[in-house]
Amino acid sequence: QVQLVESGGGLVQAGGSLSLSCAASGATFSRYSAAWFRQAPGEEREFVAAIIRNSRNTYYRDSVKGRFTIWRGENTVSLEMNSLASEDTAVYSCAAGTVSAWDCTDANNYDYWGQGTQVTVSS
């Protein structure tokens, strides 16, 4: 079992930056790949970024490439978000699971989820 707790959300102006962090506990976090997903009001949850266990390779949705960076520590996974735009407004959740590169974008493949943190970008 892995428990995940996000922090770092908030309100930021368009063009600004925010950094999200997710603290893991309860199991050996390095056994799992980790990812960030987001869900805007009235929208489906969507993949944002993932970092794969062992290889540490990273993957991003096209709309955040070059603006967002995912990285992980021993028991954390973080998301640095730059050049934020109103369309980035959503609840951001971290997730962990034994996923690989080819299935890391599907939320159904993740076993553990945090409670989410709100990111609001004002224009």
Side-chain angles (χ1 to χ4, degrees), residues 68-81:
F68 290 14
T69 303
I70 186 172
W71 77 94
R72 67 187 299 168
E74 184 173 356
N75 290 302
T76 60
V77 58
S78 300
L79 186 70
E80 177 72 24
M81 304 183 293

Side-chain angles (χ1 to χ4, degrees), residues 87-108:
E87 52 264 37
D88 295 316
T89 295
V91 174
Y92 285 71
S93 300
C94 65
T98 54
V99 303
S100 300
W102 55 85
D103 60 358
C104 70
T105 64
D106 187 345
N108 292 319

Side-chain angles (χ1 to χ4, degrees), residues 36-58:
W36 288 91
F37 288 78
R38 68 187 182 187
Q39 187 167 22
E43 301 291 332
E44 296 286 323
R45 181 164 53 189
E46 63 182 21
F47 169 79
V48 177
I51 183 164
I52 305 303
R53 58 177 177 162
N54 300 327
S55 72
R56 298 294 181 107
N57 288 338
T58 58

Side-chain angles (χ1 to χ4, degrees), residues 1 25 60 81-82 90 93 101 106:
Q1 290 283 343
S25 62
Y60 300 90
M81 304 183 293
N82 298 310
S93 300
D106 187 345

